[in-house]
């Protein structure tokens, strides 16, 4: 990117919320990926990059977390700022205070808010009431921070994004929603295979296809995992019962029995395919140990890049 274009994009991102990739233009997403790679290089080289010195991020957690909490907290430290962990029980929203009142109060203390929650409307309500940037650390509808880190990881391994094919096998959940929007905006062809009744949200599929028209990406949703995975450069899966759906575990095990990513299925992908999983994984369910621990797996590169991608987001908007 030319410096003047970069400056224009950087200016456009200041003060913005990061709620879904659908809200960002392709060049803005690519700017964030490039920024993540730059910050990763600086961190590996031991170069200080205190872009948020003296600033504070409030982290609201209604869902438990490993990668989200640690990566945001460490990320703020490396950027020279501070992060505050706030569980539902730590805040008055646990005792009935409205999201709007909480948002307005926290806006007087903090420079940014990250929330990991269940209902996406909670994220929207928080962002509407807050006067500081809000980051969606995960909701039942989308997981944009993970998707950004995933596309950073693919770019690092493949050297490009445009024209690659990603196959997603499994539940049409928040993860696939964000991957679909990222694929459409970055020119990545994406095929999704799910059992009947577990498809991605139809409105998000349609929105992804509308965005894909501008980049030449192809969005395909089907039932057959072999059809979806054929000649794929990237193979992606997630747990069959995401957080909040644990009561459906047994029912979902039956529905997804033929959707395990294993040695037999990945033979239909390209030989140099990359295996990806947002973690945590249920080994032996959605993916066999031979695949998740195999030579094509890059799951821990993904996990690491949560740190760098989120630092890029925070630095850009805060």
């Amino acid at each position: 990117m030319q410096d003047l274009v970069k400056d224009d994009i950087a200016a456009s991102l200041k003060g913005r919320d990061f709620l879904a990739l659908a809200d960002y233009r392709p060049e803005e997403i690519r700017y964030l990926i490039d920024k993540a790679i730059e910050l990763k290089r600086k961190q590996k080289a031991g170069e200080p990059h205190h872009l948020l010195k003296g600033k504070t991020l409030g982290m609201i957690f209604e869902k438990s977390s490993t990668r989200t909490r640690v990566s945001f907290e460490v990320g703020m430290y490396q950027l020279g700022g501070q992060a505050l962990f706030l569980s539902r029980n730590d805040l008055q929203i646990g005792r009935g205070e409205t999201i709007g009142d909480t948002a307005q109060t926290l806006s007087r203390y903090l420079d940014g808010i990250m929330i990991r929650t269940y209902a996406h409307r909670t994220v929207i309500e928080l962002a509407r009431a807050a006067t500081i940037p809000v980051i969606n650390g995960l909701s039942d509808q989308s997981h944009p921070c993970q998707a950004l880190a995933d596309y950073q990881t693919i770019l690092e391994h493949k050297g490009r994004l445009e024209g690659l094919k990603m196959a997603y096998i499994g539940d049409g959940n928040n993860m696939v929603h964000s991957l679909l929007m990222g694929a459409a905006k970055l020119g990545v062809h994406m095929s999704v295979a799910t059992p009947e009744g577990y498809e991605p949200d139809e409105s998000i599929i349609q929105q992804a296809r509308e965005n894909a028209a501008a980049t030449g990406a192809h969005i395909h949703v089907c039932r057959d995992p072999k059809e979806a995975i054929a000649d794929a450069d990237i193979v992606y899966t997630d747990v069959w019962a995401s957080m909040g759906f644990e009561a459906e575990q047994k029912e979902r095990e039956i529905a997804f029995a033929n959707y395990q990513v294993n040695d037999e299925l990945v033979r239909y992908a390209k030989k140099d395919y990359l295996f990806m999983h947002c973690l945590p994984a249920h080994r032996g369910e959605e993916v066999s140990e031979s695949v998740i621990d195999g030579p094509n797996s890059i799951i821990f590169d993904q996990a690491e890049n949560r740190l760098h991608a989120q630092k890029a987001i925070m630095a850009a908007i805060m």
Side-chain angles (χ1 to χ4, degrees):
M1 271 186 217
Q2 296 179 347
D3 289 341
L4 287 176
V5 174
K6 281 185 178 181
D7 290 344
D8 288 343
I9 294 173
S12 75
L13 296 178
K14 288 181 180 179
R16 294 261 298 274
D17 297 319
F18 189 80
L19 309 185
L21 293 184
D23 302 330
Y24 279 67
R25 293 177 289 137
E27 57 268 31
E28 291 172 336
I29 297 173
R30 186 56 189 261
Y31 172 90
L32 290 172
I33 292 173
D34 291 342
K35 187 71 172 177
I37 292 171
E38 176 193 344
L39 292 175
K40 182 177 183 177
R41 181 194 62 76
K42 288 185 175 182
Q43 189 258 327
K44 297 290 186 184
E47 297 178 21
H49 46 284
H50 295 161
L51 304 176
L52 297 180
K53 185 176 181 180
K55 297 202 172 187
T56 306
L57 175 76
M59 307 187 302
I60 300 175
F61 283 88
E62 295 189 327
K63 282 187 173 183
S64 58
S65 166
T66 298
R67 280 150 290 274
T68 300
R69 177 178 178 179
V70 176
S71 56
F72 269 107
E73 198 159 328
V74 172
M76 275 300 290
Y77 173 79
Q78 292 181 358
L79 290 169
Q82 181 179 3
L84 300 176
F85 175 81
L86 305 167
S87 73
R88 185 178 183 86
N89 293 331
D90 295 323
L91 298 170
Q92 293 296 337
I93 55 174
R95 298 177 60 246
E97 185 173 38
T98 67
I99 292 292
D101 287 354
T102 299
Q104 291 188 67
T105 300
L106 292 180
S107 295
R108 303 294 181 101
Y109 304 142
L110 305 169
D111 300 286
I113 302 171
M114 186 284 299
I115 183 167
R116 180 179 170 92
T117 188
Y118 290 91
H120 191 68
R121 66 178 178 273
T122 300
V123 179
I124 300 298
E125 189 177 344
L126 183 73
R128 283 176 177 166
T131 56
I132 55 176
V134 172
I135 299 169
N136 178 6
L138 177 141
S139 70
D140 284 349
Q141 180 176 299
S142 64
H143 199 354
C145 293
Q146 179 70 58
L148 189 72
D150 291 340
Y151 286 112
Q152 174 194 345
T153 310
I154 294 167
L155 180 61
E156 289 174 343
H157 279 267
K158 292 291 188 181
R160 65 186 176 102
L161 292 170
E162 298 83 357
L164 295 176
K165 178 184 176 181
M166 175 186 288
Y168 181 96
I169 313 296
D171 186 27
N173 58 16
N174 51 2
M175 193 65 252
V176 74
H177 290 161
S178 291
L179 289 171
L180 278 167
M181 289 308 306
K185 288 175 178 281
L186 295 168
V188 177
H189 308 303
M190 187 166 175
S191 291
V192 179
T194 67
E196 186 175 359
Y198 296 94
E199 303 88 349
D201 186 283
E202 184 58 40
S203 65
I204 291 177
I205 295 172
Q206 183 58 37
Q207 190 177 13
R209 285 177 173 155
E210 290 170 0
N211 280 273
T215 63
H218 179 65
I219 304 298
H220 179 59
V221 180
C222 64
R223 296 271 175 263
D224 186 356
K226 293 177 182 176
E227 177 184 341
I229 206 172
D231 295 320
D233 299 284
I234 302 104
V235 178
Y236 203 118
T237 192
D238 193 5
V239 293
W240 292 339
S242 298
M243 202 175 300
F245 295 92
E246 292 88 351
E248 302 177 13
Q249 178 67 31
K250 295 299 181 185
E251 176 186 339
R252 285 171 175 257
E253 286 177 8
I254 296 170
F256 287 90
N258 295 322
Y259 288 79
Q260 185 187 74
V261 177
N262 51 36
D263 291 329
E264 179 183 354
L265 185 60
V266 296
R267 282 202 293 266
Y268 292 88
K270 290 182 179 176
K271 287 186 178 181
D272 62 346
Y273 80 94
L274 303 175
F275 174 73
M276 305 183 77
H277 193 303
C278 56
L279 301 178
H282 293 171
R283 293 163 177 263
E285 285 187 17
E286 72 272 8
V287 58
S288 66
E289 295 219 17
S290 57
V291 170
I292 197 170
D293 293 326
N296 299 74
S297 177
I298 57 169
I299 59 170
F300 296 114
D301 291 342
Q302 282 179 267
E304 177 188 347
N305 281 342
R306 287 289 301 279
L307 170 65
H308 309 298
Q310 288 159 188
K311 283 166 65 177
I313 295 165
M314 292 187 290
I317 70 176
M318 291 173 61

